[in-house]
Amino acid sequence: MKRLMNAVDTLLDESLDGLAAAHADILELGAERKFVRRKVLTPGKVALISGGGAGHEPLHAGFVGAGMLDAACPGQVFTSPTPDQMVAAIEAVDTGAGCLLIVKNYEGDVMNFEMAGELAVADGRTVETVVTNDDVAVPKSTWSTGRRGVAGTLVVEKIVGAAAEQLAPLEALRDLGREVNERTRSFGVALTPCTVPAAGKPTFTLAPDEMEVGVGIHGEPGRRRSKLASADAIADEMLGAILDDLAAPAGSQCLLLVNGFGGTPLMELYLMVNAARRILAGRGMTATRYLTGSLVTSLDMAGCSITVTALDERLTRLWDAPVKTAALSW
Amino acid sequence: MKRLMNAVDTLLDESLDGLAAAHADILELGAERKFVRRKVLTPGKVALISGGGAGHEPLHAGFVGAGMLDAACPGQVFTSPTPDQMVAAIEAVDTGAGCLLIVKNYEGDVMNFEMAGELAVADGRTVETVVTNDDVAVPKSTWSTGRRGVAGTLVVEKIVGAAAEQLAPLEALRDLGREVNERTRSFGVALTPCTVPAAGKPTFTLAPDEMEVGVGIHGEPGRRRSKLASADAIADEMLGAILDDLAAPAGSQCLLLVNGFGGTPLMELYLMVNAARRILAGRGMTATRYLTGSLVTSLDMAGCSITVTALDERLTRLWDAPVKTAALSW
Amino acid sequence: MTPEHLHKLIVAVADAVIAHADELTELDQAIGDGDHGVNMRRGFEAVRADAAATAEKPLPDALKAIGTQLVMKVGGASGPLYGTLFLALGKTIAPDASNIAAAFAAAVQAVEARGKSHPGQKTLLDVLAPVQAALADGGPHLPARLPIVAAAAADATVPMLATRGRASFLGERSIGHMDPGARSSALMIASLCRALEELDLG
Amino acid sequence: MTPEHLHKLIVAVADAVIAHADELTELDQAIGDGDHGVNMRRGFEAVRADAAATAEKPLPDALKAIGTQLVMKVGGASGPLYGTLFLALGKTIAPDASNIAAAFAAAVQAVEARGKSHPGQKTLLDVLAPVQAALADGGPHLPARLPIVAAAAADATVPMLATRGRASFLGERSIGHMDPGARSSALMIASLCRALEELDLG
Ligand SMILES: Nc1ncnc2c1ncn2[C@@H]1O[C@H](COP(=O)(O)OP(=O)(O)O)[C@@H](O)[C@H]1O
Ligand SMILES: Nc1ncnc2c1ncn2[C@@H]1O[C@H](COP(=O)(O)OP(=O)(O)O)[C@@H](O)[C@H]1O
Ligand SMILES: [Mg+2]
Ligand SMILES: [Mg+2]
Ligand SMILES: [Mg+2]
Ligand SMILES: [Mg+2]
């Protein structure tokens, strides 16, 4: 494992300090680095709070700022943050209009946010939760953990963030978040594994000609391992899984998010954009909005995920609404 | 070599098509994909044109748009574009106020832009050139090729782009570009090599515990190969070389650009930001502006470069001026 | 139970978890995200650091203090689950531990509620539940028998199909590996029972 | 020279470059950016594809056409340099090639001007210049002697310190490797001379 770091134990703290220094106009760290918060809060606005294990940068702290999150709680690499962090974040950014917790569907994240929510509610606050589960590589199910929340989470954060900025009430934002999640599907493919710094060796191994199809954002194995295929064939399988599950009517407009996992050059991501938009067109869908970049990453893993969100006019407007965060700005 | 691609020969074209589709509001491709140009030109504004080999994405096409470049000519991976591309770009975006060519100091780029400039001048156009050479890993010299132009090029493009938007005349922009280049120094370190797709194998090899100190953005070997050091030690060496050469007076304000080479997670880049700002402070300098990201890359190479630009009030204002490109937007 | 006794028990469990952290991480690399040992070590290092102060408290408060530390330090899925286990234990146990079987049953219930899970899903519950059953059945030599029950229960997770936790994302590919949380539960129970035997309080 | 002859010469040079592309790339990987063979192959594939049409032109126009193609297709440093070489050759050469020595001297001059370089800097000029000198000296059996001069000159770049081109970024570390451009120049000269001998026009 080759890393630009000083020590495994201080990696996260040092990185957070760098983030805070570089974006002091937008965000600041909470005490003991328990959370990253917006510099300036809007009284009367519902507070949007997310969080999760580190290693997915810029998710979530990079999405703190006007038009998106009010606070993000960073856990250790690939490990959910803890309820004390979330409670501290809630206390720091709740201006009285309530808090919406946006949580990726991993038992760790869900349970820790749940405990935090219980503590905040016991403290007299109003808290609602949206759990994202956009990863179609895992079958949906009510009797098991079900689908993982992956890159689609950023779409939920952006769209709900825009609506929150317009002072929509808590329940409406929760419902909007669930609607966006319902309209969103993702699928990932890894060409190389990632290495958790504390573990020091790759989470899995792939032969030089293999890829992991349906990989999760922690390098969790996916649907199957197979021979490395062409970009077109990979995009075909990814969008096949996404669109079959999304079942959007032909003629639908959508957002296409091609997301790099950390070790994949932008040149390849744009090539995947090109492949994806042709396949979408072939299925009678039009990508009317695009986002391309390494935004929901898995440390140094090579590969990418594709996310499709079925848009309507309202969601498109909210997507286009201004945003000013460390990682997204328009 | 593991790549999201269909064929080596079509990699660049497909990627350009994806870029153009994803950012159709900002840019469009020229005929035969000879260049990427702004969608909307400002008559009377000097046209800023850059270009270079592919593999450094988002440089340069990702910086085409309001506040930065008018056109960018993409060459094959790590290969200068050719004069016909530049001439076509000049013809497409010159609105009569002249063209400023921003060229990284590589003989290939310099000579190809030179030939293009000669052709354009013969055609009655006014053309000026700024050659960037910010890489202090290579000794400056008049009798040899001298220093390479690396990540500092983006700083020149941003600041000159802002001044061009204010309709500054060609000579003033050329002088400003040279001044920004004079005030800018960079230094890179690689933890892994990159693989040129057409070559199919890494440009160099590094043992699991080695790094290449002073590497170029094409994976050119640097000053020396050494044992992988801590982030603080690496930042020390990088900033030592930069600041010794820059020799900015104590108390100076500067822009700190920590740039990933393509295979390095954002988490590590922010950690380097943190290391760098402490070292800067120790030398009596203050980073008043920050930019962090994988912006001037070397395909899938892991590692980063640090760039420091000594700012004054005017340059700071120009840096802050609005920009709307695929890769930079504020 | 004296503070000295309680201290020994806390340290024994913490040391066992810390000593086996790499093994837990390796199990989690196979069917999870490779951090279970790292998470548990972080939590139990905190517990160990505070062990002297914790041991001074009455048993219910000591258990709650440990539960809070685990919630705050472990993170991941195992943090809230083990945290809930100790918090719930602390809530119901008598200061003299006389109702241990009932208290443990209530605590396992609380873990099920927190995890929205039940035995048979290839999780730590597949160790906690049979241990709870054996404890409820009572009988002689419990400190000698419970580790055997726990170890067998952990082994029994190997052929299971995971339907909770990260391993559930693997579907069929989760079969053939021991659940990391089951292993950490078995470890904690074994180290606790061994320490109890050494103290001869069993 | 008939169009058939010229066609044979063009094809011979293009084929030689294309056949040795991997070798050129490997040399460039050692002290450059690993694309010299890729660049040259791209250029000479274009030249080869148009060879029939090009060979129909008078020699000066044919050389200019080749130069333009190299400028437009090769890219990198070698594109403008080899492009300039052929463009300048085309500008000064007589249709019957009678002034070849003078034309070649002018072309090498043009390359030096384009590259702001001169022999001794570990570049293709370190082959072109001695070949030009041998050509100027004249004498018998030039097609047999020039390849030997060129090959020796390419070998002589191995111990040189590069002060132009990407290899110059390496400083001392550029020593001990043959310059890729020197090798491609030697290749082109050798294949041209061999083809001339076969045509028996030398
Ligand atoms: N819903 C659940 N109910 C019971 N146990 C669970 C549940 N989810 C996960 N676990 C347990 O947690 C263990 C993983 O813990 P850990 O690796 O620390 O957290 P994470 O999975 O968040 O990385 C699993 O091996 C399993 O035993
Ligand atoms: N200024 C120069 N003058 C003469 N030859 C040069 C100069 N710069 C580079 N070269 C030649 O070009 C060769 C490299 O060509 P190539 O690899 O195709 O381009 P690039 O260096 O841009 O990748 C070098 O080996 C050298 O012979
Ligand atoms: Mg985890
Ligand atoms: Mg090149
Ligand atoms: Mg885990
Ligand atoms: Mg080269």
Side-chain angles (χ1 to χ4, degrees), chain A residues 79-118:
Chain A
T79 300
S80 169
T82 50
D84 54 323
Q85 297 181 257
M86 297 148 191
V87 168
I90 289 170
E91 284 169 0
V93 300
D94 181 6
T95 64
C99 293
L100 184 66
L101 309 180
I102 300 177
V103 185
K104 301 192 294 302
N105 189 34
Y106 296 93
E107 322 244 11
D109 296 77
V110 170
M111 288 188 279
N112 281 288
F113 270 100
E114 211 171 74
M115 293 188 90
E118 288 164 14

Side-chain angles (χ1 to χ4, degrees), chain B residues 76 78-80 82-84 106-108 111-112 114-115 118 143-146 148 201 212 218 221-222 224, chain D residues 29 33 35 38-39 42 71-72 74-77 80-81 84 114-116 121 163-166 168-170 173:
Chain B
Q76 293 296 317
F78 290 177
T79 300
S80 168
T82 50
D84 54 323
Y106 297 92
E107 322 245 10
M111 288 189 279
N112 281 287
E114 213 171 72
M115 294 187 89
E118 288 163 13
W143 53 273
S144 78
T145 302
R148 301 173 289 218
K201 56 181 184 151
E212 183 71 32
H218 309 87
R224 63 195 180 82
Chain D
Q29 281 191 318
D33 61 348
D35 64 358
V38 179
N39 295 344
R42 190 171 47 242
V71 168
M72 298 316 181
V74 175
L81 292 168
T84 296
R114 175 62 63 207
K116 298 187 183 58
Q121 297 185 303
T163 57
R164 280 283 168 196
R166 285 175 197 281
S168 71
F169 303 140
L170 291 187
R173 289 164 73 181

Side-chain angles (χ1 to χ4, degrees), chain A residues 79 107 112 114 118 143-144, chain C residues 33 35 76 114 116 163 165:
Chain A
T79 300
E107 322 244 11
N112 281 288
E114 211 171 74
E118 288 164 14
W143 54 273
S144 77
Chain C
D33 61 349
D35 63 359
R114 176 61 65 206
K116 299 189 182 63
T163 58

Side-chain angles (χ1 to χ4, degrees), chain A residues 180-195:
Chain A
V180 175
N181 179 61
E182 273 307 310
R183 287 164 164 272
T184 298
R185 301 289 188 284
S186 299
F187 194 99
V189 168
L191 305 194
T192 69
C194 54
T195 302

Side-chain angles (χ1 to χ4, degrees), chain A residues 85-227:
Chain A
Q85 297 181 257
M86 297 148 191
V87 168
I90 289 170
E91 284 169 0
V93 300
D94 181 6
T95 64
C99 293
L100 184 66
L101 309 180
I102 300 177
V103 185
K104 301 192 294 302
N105 189 34
Y106 296 93
E107 322 244 11
D109 296 77
V110 170
M111 288 188 279
N112 281 288
F113 270 100
E114 211 171 74
M115 293 188 90
E118 288 164 14
L119 291 166
V121 167
D123 201 34
R125 297 180 186 275
T126 324
V127 176
E128 292 284 351
T129 302
V130 173
V131 177
T132 61
N133 63 343
D134 51 309
D135 187 350
V136 295
V138 175
K140 206 166 183 170
S141 154
T142 45
W143 54 273
S144 77
T145 302
R147 284 179 176 169
R148 303 174 288 219
V150 291
T153 309
L154 117 71
V155 182
V156 173
E157 292 177 359
K158 170 65 187 81
I159 289 179
V160 176
E165 222 65 46
Q166 298 167 7
L167 303 183
L170 181 57
E171 286 73 28
L173 294 174
R174 176 202 58 201
D175 293 346
L176 175 64
R178 291 179 183 169
E179 184 194 343
V180 175
N181 179 61
E182 273 307 310
R183 287 164 164 272
T184 298
R185 301 289 188 284
S186 299
F187 194 99
V189 168
L191 305 194
T192 69
C194 54
T195 302
V196 175
K201 55 180 186 154
T203 304
F204 58 103
T205 47
L206 279 175
D209 62 343
E210 279 181 343
M211 61 179 178
E212 183 72 32
V213 179
V215 76
I217 57 171
H218 307 86
E220 305 100 313
R223 288 188 165 183
R224 62 194 180 81
R225 185 155 300 184
S226 79
K227 289 274 165 234

